[in-house]
Amino acid sequence: MALQRLRQLGNQGADHVLDADIENYFGSIEHGKLLTLVGQRVSDRKMLKLVRQWLQAGVMEDGVVSHPVAGTPQGGVISPLLSNIYLHVLDRVWRRMARIWANWCGMRTTSW
């Protein structure tokens, strides 16, 4: 779907693509901020408690259990969803800033 959208935008005259890699992304998500974002959409307290428990679940490495204070469970079924919730904020900021920059430069913008 993403490649198809890039082709469409290219056919409409777009000539820039931003590709970013966020180092240690899954391990750096702040639990408090993430739970706040989830809480903006989910009002069920039991579901919020379950998400909190997923985030605080212990991780065993070499027989030692640690409890992470940041990040989402690596390989956990919930990790991609939680990561996308967190990245959605960054996506909105990038879109807003791209439009401001494009307007300042006098560039034609396309609908994202």
Side-chain angles (χ1 to χ4, degrees):
M1 185 187 296
L3 289 176
Q4 181 180 4
R5 183 67 178 139
L6 285 173
R7 285 187 195 103
Q8 290 172 345
L9 291 171
N11 290 336
Q12 295 171 6
D15 59 359
H16 289 82
V17 174
L18 173 65
D19 181 26
D21 182 20
I22 302 172
E23 185 177 338
N24 191 27
Y25 173 65
F26 284 95
S28 63
I29 294 174
E30 293 183 35
H31 290 175
K33 288 182 181 180
L34 178 58
L35 289 168
T36 298
L37 292 171
V38 172
Q40 290 174 356
R41 297 289 183 135
V42 176
S43 60
D44 184 344
R45 288 184 182 178
K46 289 182 181 181
M47 181 56 70
L48 292 172
K49 182 179 178 182
L50 179 60
V51 171
R52 188 177 309 103
Q53 288 174 332
W54 263 320
L55 292 173
Q56 296 172 347
V59 176
M60 183 179 288
E61 294 182 78
D62 298 324
V64 178
V65 176
S66 64
H67 296 277
V69 295
T72 60
Q74 292 290 328
V77 295
I78 194 73
S79 292
L81 174 64
L82 295 176
S83 298
N84 283 334
I85 290 169
Y86 203 76
L87 276 178
H88 182 69
V89 175
L90 178 62
D91 185 47
R92 287 191 318 212
V93 170
W94 274 351
R95 286 177 185 223
R96 185 174 64 240
M97 295 308 295
R99 287 188 181 103
I100 291 169
W101 182 78
N103 288 336
W104 182 77
C105 293
M107 297 172 58
R108 181 180 66 86
T109 59
T110 58
S111 147
W112 293 319

